[in-house]
Amino acid sequence: MNPLHRYLLPASLVVFTLCALVPGAGSYAQPSVPQLPRLEQVDIDLDGFLDEAVWNDLPYVDGMRVINPDTLAEVPYETHIRAFYTEQGIYVGAMNFQPADTLVARMTSRDTQLDRDGFVVGLDPSGGGQYGYFLRINLGDSMTDATVLPERQLNLQWDGSWNARTQALENGWSVEYFIPWAMMPLPQAADGSRQIGFYYERQIGHLGGETWSSPPLPRTVNQFLSAFERYELEDIEPRRQLTFYPFAAAGFDGLRDELDTKVGADIYWRPTSNTLLSATLNPDFGTVESDDVVVNLTAFETFFPEKRTFFLEGQDIFNTHPRSSGGGGPGGPIQILNTRRIGGAAGFDIPGNVNVLPTDVSRPTELLGAVKYTGQIGKWQYGTLFASEDDPEIPGTLPDGTPVTVQAKGRDFGVARLLYEDTSGGGRRAIGWMGTTVEHPDIDSVVNAVDMHYFSRDNRWIVDTQFMHSDTSGVSGVGFLGDVSYRPERGKQHSINATWIDDKLDINELGFLTRNDQMNLSYNYFVNESDIPGLRNRTTGFIATNEWNTDGLPVRLRAALQRGYTFLDNNSLNLSLLYFPARYDDRLGRGTGAFQLPVRYGAGISYETDRAQSLSYNLGLNVDPEDLGSTQVQGRAGVAWRPVDRFSVDLSLSYTDREALLVHRGAGQYTSFEAHQWAPRLEVDYFITAKQQIRISTQWTALKAFEDRFYRVNTERDGQLIPTANPDNQPDDFVISRLTFQARYRWEIAPLSDLFIVYTRGSNLPRNSLFEFQELFEQSWNDRIVDQFVIKLRYRLGS
């Protein structure tokens, strides 16, 4: 039986009832919009040269103004942009005029943000500011793309099937785009015509990354997606589209001396222009990219973003609140759906007499399959997702060496989403519902959320709210998010964020929440000034956070003042001052009692040179308070060297000195440590062509902690930490040393068609490896827990 049936119908009725209360737009006379030229027969060689006759026959548009810095000034160079469409998709050509000796081209991995010469096409296929795409090609053919939700929520994890090429010329550089209809949903058009919003942006590397756009939409205004320039298109109803992504992968495990092969496919079908049915068969969710190495000694889970193509495609409909992308509190966002849970590590119950490898326990769970269906009917958008895990098993051994197999049960997941949006008459009014379910012999979790959104017609007010309810194994919890943003004028913004979550809300079986049991009211004030003599811009921010738990204890209090300067040469300086009032920590002890923390202070400074230059560097110093009031000092330094466009070396290093790292020993007892942590990171990139890349990356984090003092919580004296002697007279000194090394060759054969050849090596030393840092690095390299070589081919076939 469909696992959503038991609550999908009643919750849907609630949403339909609530949507009837959304204010109607009434009659609204849309202003006349220009027609985008349509051509039936075109022969475009997508090489970046605008030498086809069709480009000369089309009128061009310009209208660029400076948006970064936010001056809206006229620009020194012209930009001639031409666009048309066919039955297959949209073509855009742009001639970017500027002196040839000023061109800045830097080849990078996809979605790498770097100042250089670049051109952006923004699209709003909904025609009403409901969803869109941000497609950037840089001189040298490196690409960046993202989906866009109102008004400027970008998801850079998404990759699209569009294509573009650039060419350096004597009078500037040119670019050609092809954007297929198959890449995007299109609302049904009853009369055969539809409107699509267009936005163009250009970055000029030699001007310090100065950015221009048409229409001019600086980040200091609320409106973005809904302000794209609209064009009318006739008789576009793309035929049914089927896209097939078969893949084959072979991996060799050097530790087990085992070879593993796998064949599978992702399938995407658009039965109509505004619906998408996708499925994955025998999926391979082994990544060819490594997550960052993180040392987390807090009580809060670390968030890692999704990287798997199947879950990223069509994922935006499941975004219920701006805090889904960040700003959810310590450690990460607040998400009703965190697809990294699907296929995550299984919950093995390891018998005490069985030995297993930690890497086997944390290994991702294979999926039997997953299916997703998304679409739109008028002002309604909807989405469903179902996935089922295989029953995992791992090898183990008994004390006498006898091999055994440890088994676990896989989980079943279900998600449903419904959203009503009204953008007629200007602004935005929306209400939605999402429900998730997780079924397992040991877990039965159901989460429902209702979200509401308002964007005023004068573009000054933004309101986002969300109500949450969870039922996990018979325990119910509730929560509320409420965010209000007011921008009285360009460059100034006030924001208030309210949170109330009881201690029973549990969305983490399929979502992400760093902590429940919180009452929070935060205020942010941000000012961006672009008329300061001698500066490109100056930013000022004030942040006040006031968070209590539901027992009435202050648990997260902070006031911060930030000031940033960007100079005319595009170098930048950032300063911050922090004040932490006295509060309680109710999480580190894992339920053994909250303890008091004193008033604390902090400060930070950082300086970064223009990243568009062939040699750039950054420096940073933070002086932050420890929990007990002592000082934590962190220094950071980095250098990036790009002697030619095809080659780069990026080296960063941070060192942290901690006087009182507090760690819970159990039973309300704590040890403070004097700790030292080094975290170097090296990335070397070489591009054979813009589509063939060799990358070598190494990340190592090593922390050495030496016991200093011992404490216990005095529950009879309002949670004071009382100094004690070492309870067991055993040294608590420990070490954390984690290393990841990856050498990767990637060949983008065609859009979203890749060949990967990847070698990954990793380690995690035991905590009693008390060596010097140099020896720790050598041992981390030699004592592997991951040693894997993978070849993977994925090819896109179809529309």
Side-chain angles (χ1 to χ4, degrees):
M1 176 180 292
N2 186 326
L4 292 180
H5 281 175
R6 56 195 169 120
Y7 65 95
L8 178 58
L9 181 59
S12 300
L13 292 175
V14 170
V15 173
F16 274 95
T17 302
L18 289 172
C19 286
L21 302 178
V22 176
S27 60
Y28 176 69
Q30 289 280 1
S32 60
V33 296
Q35 291 271 351
L36 191 70
R38 171 172 178 152
L39 301 178
E40 299 298 336
Q41 298 293 332
V42 293
D43 185 13
I44 298 289
D45 182 11
L46 204 72
D47 56 6
F49 288 111
L50 303 177
D51 52 4
E52 291 86 0
V54 62
W55 295 120
N56 296 325
D57 297 336
L58 294 172
Y60 71 83
V61 298
D62 192 342
M64 291 281 181
R65 290 292 184 269
V66 178
I67 62 169
N68 183 24
D70 176 21
T71 64
L72 299 185
E74 294 188 1
V75 300
Y77 312 132
E78 292 185 2
T79 308
H80 292 182
I81 307 166
R82 296 173 170 89
F84 66 92
Y85 68 101
T86 69
E87 188 66 30
Q88 286 72 43
I90 298 172
Y91 288 86
V92 177
M95 179 60 212
N96 304 294
F97 292 97
Q98 70 185 76
D101 60 357
T102 65
L103 297 180
V104 178
R106 304 275 188 239
M107 291 186 183
T108 61
S109 301
R110 192 166 187 148
D111 298 332
T112 298
Q113 300 183 55
L114 181 70
D115 291 342
R116 52 194 152 172
D117 289 325
F119 189 84
V120 171
V121 173
L123 287 179
D124 169 22
S126 74
Q130 296 170 312
Y131 54 86
Y133 299 91
F134 182 94
L135 314 174
R136 171 170 172 154
I137 185 75
N138 302 290
L139 181 58
D141 292 347
S142 298
M143 304 168 75
T144 295
D145 52 4
T147 57
V148 187
L149 290 178
E151 272 294 312
R152 203 187 291 261
Q153 300 178 64
L154 271 65
N155 177 12
L156 288 167
Q157 275 70 50
W158 174 86
D159 292 333
S161 58
W162 62 288
N163 203 359
R165 292 291 186 272
T166 64
Q167 290 292 340
L169 306 171
E170 293 182 354
N171 57 346
W173 63 286
S174 58
V175 56
E176 284 182 314
Y177 279 79
F178 173 63
I179 307 166
W181 297 123
M183 190 189 80
M184 67 192 88
L186 295 173
Q188 292 285 354
D191 58 358
S193 66
R194 67 177 73 252
Q195 292 184 7
I196 291 182
F198 284 78
Y199 167 83
Y200 302 112
E201 183 179 289
R202 180 179 170 187
Q203 187 177 58
I204 298 82
H206 82 97
L207 296 180
E210 183 172 289
T211 306
W212 313 338
S213 81
S214 175
L217 299 173
R219 288 184 174 272
T220 54
V221 300
N222 283 330
Q223 199 172 19
F224 180 66
L225 183 60
S226 62
F228 286 9
E229 184 72 25
R230 297 186 188 181
Y231 287 82
E232 189 169 300
L233 288 73
E234 299 285 349
D235 299 325
I236 286 298
E237 199 65 34
R239 59 182 175 82
R240 294 180 179 179
Q241 302 155 345
L242 180 64
T243 307
F244 183 56
Y245 291 88
F247 76 85
F252 177 76
D253 190 325
L255 295 179
R256 294 186 176 85
D257 197 26
E258 293 178 354
L259 178 66
D260 181 42
T261 59
K262 196 164 194 178
V263 177
D266 294 345
I267 302 172
Y268 300 90
W269 179 45
R270 289 197 183 278
T272 65
S273 65
N274 62 346
T275 56
L276 175 65
L277 176 64
S278 54
T280 181
L281 306 174
N282 194 30
D284 172 26
F285 290 140
T287 181
V288 289
E289 295 185 73
S290 298
D291 289 320
D292 288 340
V293 176
V294 177
V295 173
N296 184 0
L297 297 176
T298 73
F300 303 107
E301 179 184 4
T302 299
F303 176 79
F304 293 101
E306 181 61 84
K307 297 181 179 180
R308 300 170 293 184
T309 303
F310 171 79
F311 288 111
L312 290 172
E313 186 64 40
Q315 189 72 4
D316 286 340
I317 182 59
F318 301 107
N319 186 315
T320 60
H321 194 277
R323 288 201 233 174
S324 296
S325 304
I334 296 177
Q335 293 183 346
I336 302 300
L337 173 61
N338 172 27
T339 53
R340 285 288 293 248
R341 305 288 190 198
I342 302 175
F348 285 100
D349 184 12
I350 310 296
N353 63 337
V354 175
N355 296 316
V356 297
L357 292 176
T359 51
D360 287 340
V361 177
S362 60
R363 182 185 300 175
T365 303
E366 297 288 347
L367 295 188
L368 296 173
V371 63
K372 179 164 43 179
Y373 186 65
T374 61
Q376 181 177 6
I377 301 176
K379 297 178 181 179
W380 293 90
Q381 299 178 57
Y382 56 87
T384 59
L385 169 66
F386 300 97
S388 183
E389 294 177 338
D390 195 3
D391 293 338
E393 57 182 38
I394 57 175
T397 57
L398 296 175
D400 61 1
T402 303
V404 295
T405 298
V406 181
Q407 295 181 327
K409 295 291 293 183
R411 297 164 294 178
D412 295 320
F413 305 89
V415 184
R417 170 68 164 155
L418 193 62
L419 177 66
Y420 175 90
E421 284 188 289
D422 182 11
T423 59
S424 57
R428 175 180 180 247
R429 297 152 301 280
I431 186 168
W433 162 83
M434 189 159 80
T436 69
T437 181
V438 179
E439 292 191 345
H440 184 270
D442 300 327
I443 301 169
D444 188 8
S445 176
V446 174
V447 176
N448 282 279
V450 174
D451 54 292
M452 292 173 283
H453 313 273
Y454 173 76
F455 182 27
S456 67
R457 289 177 172 86
D458 62 7
N459 305 323
R460 294 185 177 183
W461 291 92
I462 299 176
V463 181
D464 297 288
T465 63
Q466 179 168 287
F467 298 88
M468 300 171 285
H469 178 272
S470 68
D471 185 345
T472 302
S473 300
V475 178
S476 296
V478 295
F480 166 78
L481 308 177
D483 297 347
V484 179
S485 175
Y486 173 62
R487 196 184 296 268
E489 59 184 86
R490 198 170 100 237
K492 296 182 179 180
Q493 179 163 314
H494 304 265
S495 299
I496 296 177
N497 307 109
T499 306
W500 189 89
I501 299 175
D502 71 11
D503 61 348
K504 300 296 191 298
L505 182 73
D506 181 6
I507 65 174
N508 279 346
E509 299 302 330
L510 189 49
F512 190 90
L513 176 65
T514 51
R515 70 163 291 157
N516 53 18
D517 188 21
Q518 61 168 300
M519 301 184 295
N520 178 25
L521 185 66
S522 300
Y523 169 74
N524 295 353
Y525 177 61
F526 179 81
V527 180
N528 186 312
E529 302 167 281
S530 300
D531 55 355
I532 308 297
L535 296 175
R536 291 187 62 192
N537 71 291
R538 182 178 69 189
T539 60
T540 305
F542 173 73
I543 303 170
T545 301
N546 184 28
E547 183 175 317
W548 299 59
N549 65 20
T550 54
D551 291 330
L553 294 179
V555 294
R556 188 168 174 252
L557 308 178
R558 181 182 64 149
L561 181 63
Q562 301 170 340
R563 172 61 66 88
Y565 302 88
T566 303
F567 304 101
L568 297 179
D569 58 4
N570 208 37
N571 296 347
S572 61
L573 174 68
N574 292 281
L575 307 169
S576 63
L577 295 174
L578 301 99
Y579 167 66
F580 299 88
R583 67 176 181 91
Y584 286 81
D585 189 314
D586 64 342
R587 281 294 187 263
L588 189 61
R590 275 73 170 178
T592 59
F595 58 88
Q596 295 183 24
L597 299 178
V599 174
R600 297 161 300 149
Y601 302 89
I605 182 172
S606 64
Y607 181 79
E608 183 175 21
T609 63
D610 182 5
R611 297 184 67 212
Q613 301 299 318
S614 59
L615 182 66
S616 63
Y617 65 89
N618 63 83
L619 301 169
L621 179 67
N622 285 81
V623 180
D624 296 320
E626 297 279 14
D627 287 345
L628 301 180
S630 302
T631 302
Q632 169 185 314
V633 179
Q634 182 186 59
R636 306 179 307 280
V639 60
W641 182 47
R642 299 178 178 86
V644 294
D645 295 337
R646 297 177 182 271
F647 178 77
S648 67
V649 178
D650 200 330
L651 174 64
S652 62
L653 174 67
S654 71
Y655 171 73
T656 305
D657 183 273
R658 308 190 65 171
E659 294 182 7
L661 168 62
L662 196 63
V663 177
H664 184 232
R665 293 168 51 97
Q669 301 190 46
Y670 298 84
T671 303
S672 72
F673 296 83
E674 180 184 346
H676 311 275
Q677 180 175 348
W678 287 94
R681 181 170 187 164
L682 174 67
E683 292 183 357
V684 179
D685 288 295
Y686 175 68
F687 290 84
I688 304 170
T689 68
K691 305 301 179 183
Q692 294 189 69
Q693 175 193 17
I694 296 174
R695 160 171 280 198
I696 297 175
S697 62
T698 302
Q699 187 178 3
W700 177 53
T701 294
L703 180 144
K704 296 173 65 175
F706 304 95
E707 67 176 35
D708 184 20
R709 300 181 182 180
F710 303 90
Y711 301 89
R712 65 176 178 85
V713 176
N714 188 337
T715 56
E716 298 178 356
R717 296 183 58 185
D718 200 21
Q720 293 184 15
L721 284 180
I722 306 299
T724 64
N726 189 339
D728 52 17
N729 293 319
Q730 297 295 321
D732 285 347
D733 300 348
F734 70 92
V735 162
I736 295 175
S737 181
R738 297 174 183 170
L739 180 142
T740 295
F741 170 85
Q742 190 172 84
R744 186 182 74 174
Y745 168 77
R746 179 182 182 180
W747 176 23
E748 186 180 346
I749 306 168
L752 298 188
S753 301
D754 300 282
L755 171 66
F756 286 97
I757 303 176
V758 183
Y759 172 69
T760 303
R761 185 185 188 111
S763 65
N764 186 6
L765 295 185
R767 59 175 291 155
N768 58 356
S769 303
L770 293 174
F771 298 98
E772 296 299 323
F773 280 106
Q774 179 180 348
E775 295 174 302
L776 282 175
F777 182 81
E778 294 174 356
Q779 188 173 1
S780 295
W781 177 260
N782 294 324
D783 293 354
R784 304 157 295 161
I785 61 172
V786 175
D787 191 335
Q788 192 173 52
F789 181 80
V790 176
I791 299 177
K792 182 176 180 179
L793 175 63
R794 184 174 187 264
Y795 200 85
R796 178 177 179 270
L797 303 170
S799 304

